[in-house]
Amino acid sequence: MPVTTPRTLFISDLHLAEERPATTDRFARFLAEVAPGASALYILGDLFEYWVGDDGRELDFPARIANLL
């Protein structure tokens, strides 16, 4: 019986933004197809392109990404 080695994944500085849907789509595909086979996923750096203090920003987009995770 083959021995499987746990796989740890690292991603960094994706800067996800509604204005760049292709990047978000690739990340969603990564979460659906690659990440489930990993023993851990570490998200480093900036996950979102967001400046704390911006007025009027909706939280729908970050919530959508959180649901994918």
Side-chain angles (χ1 to χ4, degrees):
M1 177 178 244
V3 176
T4 58
T5 304
R7 191 168 55 138
T8 301
L9 302 174
F10 293 84
I11 59 174
S12 178
D13 295 303
L14 296 181
H15 293 268
L16 299 174
E18 284 184 291
E19 298 80 20
R20 293 193 299 275
T23 303
T24 303
D25 292 344
R26 283 192 300 269
F27 181 56
R29 194 170 44 252
F30 166 81
L31 290 176
E33 298 173 5
V34 177
S39 57
L41 170 63
Y42 292 91
I43 301 172
L44 309 171
D46 298 321
L47 181 59
F48 297 103
E49 184 66 40
Y50 184 78
W51 178 258
V52 175
D54 281 352
D55 293 330
R57 289 272 181 134
E58 295 295 325
L59 297 179
D60 293 339
F61 181 70
R64 197 169 85 218
I65 300 302
N67 287 331
L68 291 173
L69 290 167

